[in-house]
Amino acid sequence: MADRLPLTTTELAQENELLRQQLQEAEELITAIRTGTIDALAVQAAEGPRIFTLEGADQSYRTLIEQMNEGALLLSQDATVLYCNACLAGLLGQRMEAIMGTSFRSFVPAEQQVYWELLLAAGWAGRSKGEMSLATANGLLQPFALGLNVLSFNNTPMLAVIVTDLSDKREISAIRARVVEQNDLLARTNEELKAQAQARQAVEQAAAETSRILEGIPHIAWTADPSGHNTYLNQRWFDYTGQPLRRSIPHDIRAQLHPSDLPVVMEYWQQCLRTSQALEMECRIRSADGEYRWMLARALPSRNEQGQVIQWIGTYTDIHEHKLGQQREAEAQQQLRTNNEQLIRVNVDLDNFIYTASHDLKAPITNIEGLVYELQEQLPTDGELGEAVTPLLSMMQEAVARFQRTLSHLSDVIKLQKEHHQPVTQVDLATIIQDVQLDLQPLIKQANAHVEVNVVACPAVSFSSKNMRSVVYNLLSNALKYRHPQRTARVQLHCQQKEGYIVLEVHDNGLGLNQDQQAELFQMFRRFHVGIEGSGVGLYMVKRMVENGGGKLTVRSEAGIGSTFSVYFRHDAQLPA
C-alpha cells in the first residue's frame, strides 16, 4: 500500500470537525443511556456495527444501578464494556465515557490476564466470582472482588459484572485482626495478672507459714532474697544480739560478725549465691553482752516450680561449748602427741641403754666367769679350805650364769622391739603345735603330762611364723613347768572364733595364780613360783608379739586349780561350717 499523502489544511479541518461530531454523539449517547432516553447501543465490531438494546429496562432499575455503592458493568462476548455505572468509574478513577466501548482487559494487569480469562470463561458458562487487582487511572493496582453472571437483553447474551472494592474490607479485616490480637493480649495479660496475684498470695501465705515455723524453732533463723539481702530475722536473733526490731537491716548482721571471720564468711556467701549450693560454715557472732560465740551457719536455697531460686532460708546454731570442747580435745591430743614423742624418745634411750649395758657387760661377766674357773683350778678342793671354798665358788658360778641369762633375755627383748614388723604369712596352727610338741617331748615325758590338741577345724592365721612358734612354745612350756606336784599334768589346746578373732586357748590344771599375781603377770622379770626355772621374760615377750600383730593376750586363773591363756589373732573371715 502506498504511503498516505499529507493532508492539506482544509482536509485536516474537515477531519477534526468529523471527530468532534463523533465525540459529541458519543457523549450524547452515554447521557441518553444513563437517563433512559434510548434503549439501544451500536458498537462497531470487526464484522460491522452491532446493535445492543436495553429493552425492558425502566427508569427505576437504572436509577438503582447508578445509586449502588459497588461498580456495575455489562460486557459483550469479547469483553467490551457496554455499560458501567458511575461507582465503577470512581473506583477506577476514569470517566464513564472512557470506560464504555473499551475492552475490560485493558484494566487487568498482565500478570493476572490468565486468571481473568479463566474467571471470564467461568462467568460465560454460568456464573463465577473471584478476587483480583485492577489498574486505576494513576497506574496503581487496587484489589476488587468480581461477581460475573450471564444476562440476556433482546435475546443477546451479556455478562453482568459487579465490582466490589476490597480496600476498605481488607482494612476492616486488618482492624478486626488487630482488635482480636489486642483482645487476646488483654486476655493473656489478665491471666498473667491473675497468676501473679495468685503467686503473690501463695508467696505471702508461704512467707507467713515460714515465719510461723521459723519463730518456733530453737535457733536463730533468717531469710534472704536471691541477691543475698536479708529479708527476715526471727525473734531469737534480737534476743541474742540485743538489737531493737527497728534495726533489722542487712548490714547489722555483718556488723555482728567477728572481724576475723567477716571476709571469709562474705566470700563463701557470695560463692553460694553464684552457684546456688548449700551454705554451711562456722563463724563467731557477738552477743548482747559483747561475747563472741561460735555459731554453725546453714542455709538452703528455696526454688519455685521452674527451679529458680526465690529465697534463701538459713539458721545460726550455737555451738560455742562444742567448739570449746573441740579445742580442749585438740589441745589434749597435742599434749598426747607430745607425751608420745617423749615416751618414744625415752624408749629409744632405754633400748639404747639396755643394748649398751648388755653388750658392755658381757665382757666383764665373761672375765669374772674365767676368774672363777681359774680360782677353782688353783684352790685346793680337799681339807678344810676346800670344804669352805667349794660352795662359794659354786654360788659364784650360779650368779654369773644367772647374770648371763639376764643379759641374754635383755638382748632378746631389744631384738623383739627392733623386729616389730615381722613378715606375715598364713600360719597353720596344727603344724606349729606339732613341731613345738616334738621340741618339748623330753619335758612332756618328764612331767608325765597328757597334752590334748583340737585345732584341726581352725583356719590359717595371718601372723609371723617365727613369732607364732615362740608364742606356742612359751605357753605350752609354762603349762608343763608350772604343773601341780600332786596330780597328773593335763594341757588342752583348742581354737575358736570370736568377733573377728581366731582365739587359741591353752588350758592347764597347774599351780594357778591369784588376782594380785595376774595383775603383774605380763611385766618383765616377774616370777611368782620359787624353785622353778624361769626368767620372767617369756610372757612379756609373748604379749608384745601378739599385740604387735594386732591381737591381744588374756589370762583366767585360780590359785591351786589351773590357768587358761587366750591368744586373740586378728581374722576377718568366717570359720568353715
Side-chain angles (χ1 to χ4, degrees), residues 65-289:
I65 295 299
E66 289 299 326
Q67 296 296 324
M68 287 176 60
N69 290 327
E70 296 178 322
L73 69 152
L74 294 175
L75 298 178
S76 64
Q77 289 187 346
D78 61 355
T80 300
V81 180
L82 302 177
Y83 165 79
C84 74
N85 64 358
C87 181
L88 179 65
L91 292 174
L92 297 178
Q94 302 275 3
R95 292 181 293 110
M96 293 176 60
E97 56 269 22
I99 298 175
M100 289 190 293
T102 61
S103 175
F104 191 72
R105 292 185 179 88
S106 63
F107 300 100
V108 179
E111 63 272 12
Q112 297 192 28
Q113 287 288 342
V114 175
Y115 177 72
W116 163 247
E117 294 299 333
L118 294 174
L119 195 64
L120 185 64
W124 283 111
R127 63 174 58 190
S128 65
K129 59 182 178 178
E131 295 182 1
M132 59 184 295
S133 299
L134 298 176
T136 60
N138 57 10
L140 299 177
L141 297 180
Q142 191 167 341
F144 294 97
L146 280 65
L148 293 78
N149 191 20
V150 178
L151 300 177
S152 178
F153 291 94
N154 196 20
N155 296 323
T156 301
M158 296 182 186
L159 191 61
V161 182
I162 302 298
V163 180
T164 304
D165 188 0
L166 293 180
S167 300
D168 295 339
K169 183 178 180 181
R170 291 188 176 182
E171 184 176 354
I172 292 173
S173 298
I175 293 173
R176 286 178 178 174
R178 288 196 296 271
V179 170
V180 171
E181 183 179 357
Q182 291 294 330
N183 289 338
D184 291 341
L185 180 60
L186 288 173
R188 290 195 300 270
T189 302
N190 288 333
E191 290 297 327
E192 290 177 358
L193 290 175
K194 289 181 181 178
Q196 290 176 2
Q198 292 175 353
R200 189 181 304 109
Q201 184 179 4
V203 169
E204 291 174 354
Q205 291 176 351
E209 181 65 18
T210 301
S211 177
R212 185 185 66 81
I213 294 174
L214 295 181
E215 287 294 340
I217 64 176
H219 306 281
I220 295 173
W222 54 271
T223 61
D225 60 23
S227 61
H229 295 97
N230 178 250
T231 56
Y232 166 80
L233 287 163
N234 71 350
Q235 184 62 41
R236 293 187 180 274
W237 167 265
F238 302 102
D239 295 341
Y240 174 78
T241 61
Q243 293 179 338
L245 290 174
R246 60 182 177 83
R247 296 188 58 197
S248 57
I249 52 179
H251 76 269
D252 281 340
I253 295 180
R254 296 193 295 269
Q256 297 299 115
L257 291 173
H258 194 282
S260 300
D261 299 340
L262 181 58
V264 178
V265 170
M266 296 308 299
E267 181 180 358
Y268 185 37
W269 175 228
Q270 292 300 322
Q271 177 184 342
C272 293
L273 292 176
R274 290 192 302 269
T275 61
S276 298
Q277 70 182 34
L279 177 142
E280 182 171 343
M281 68 180 306
E282 297 175 356
C283 61
R284 288 164 288 182
I285 299 178
R286 188 174 64 239
S287 64
D289 56 7

Side-chain angles (χ1 to χ4, degrees), residues 321-339:
E321 300 303 328
H322 173 70
K323 192 72 175 179
L324 295 180
Q326 286 183 329
Q327 292 177 353
R328 289 191 293 268
E329 181 179 356
E331 292 173 357
Q333 289 178 349
Q334 180 61 39
Q335 183 63 40
L336 181 60
R337 285 192 293 269
T338 302
N339 293 339

Side-chain angles (χ1 to χ4, degrees), residues 262-386:
L262 181 58
V264 178
V265 170
M266 296 308 299
E267 181 180 358
Y268 185 37
W269 175 228
Q270 292 300 322
Q271 177 184 342
C272 293
L273 292 176
R274 290 192 302 269
T275 61
S276 298
Q277 70 182 34
L279 177 142
E280 182 171 343
M281 68 180 306
E282 297 175 356
C283 61
R284 288 164 288 182
I285 299 178
R286 188 174 64 239
S287 64
D289 56 7
E291 178 189 9
Y292 283 97
R293 296 183 64 84
W294 281 101
M295 296 284 182
L296 175 62
R298 287 194 180 109
L300 290 174
S302 177
R303 304 176 185 271
N304 58 16
E305 295 179 354
Q306 290 73 34
Q308 300 171 331
V309 176
I310 58 175
Q311 71 172 344
W312 287 80
I313 302 176
T315 59
Y316 289 116
T317 303
D318 192 325
I319 58 169
H320 193 69
E321 300 303 328
H322 173 70
K323 192 72 175 179
L324 295 180
Q326 286 183 329
Q327 292 177 353
R328 289 191 293 268
E329 181 179 356
E331 292 173 357
Q333 289 178 349
Q334 180 61 39
Q335 183 63 40
L336 181 60
R337 285 192 293 269
T338 302
N339 293 339
N340 286 341
E341 292 173 358
Q342 184 177 1
L343 287 175
I344 290 173
R345 291 193 298 270
V346 171
N347 286 334
V348 170
D349 293 341
L350 182 59
D351 290 343
N352 292 333
F353 171 76
I354 294 175
Y355 174 79
T356 303
S358 62
H359 182 272
D360 293 346
L361 290 176
K362 283 182 179 179
I365 290 300
T366 302
N367 292 336
I368 292 174
E369 184 181 19
L371 291 174
V372 171
Y373 280 112
E374 184 64 26
L375 285 173
Q376 190 174 13
E377 292 294 330
Q378 296 296 328
L379 293 175
T381 58
D382 54 352
E384 293 183 2
L385 181 59

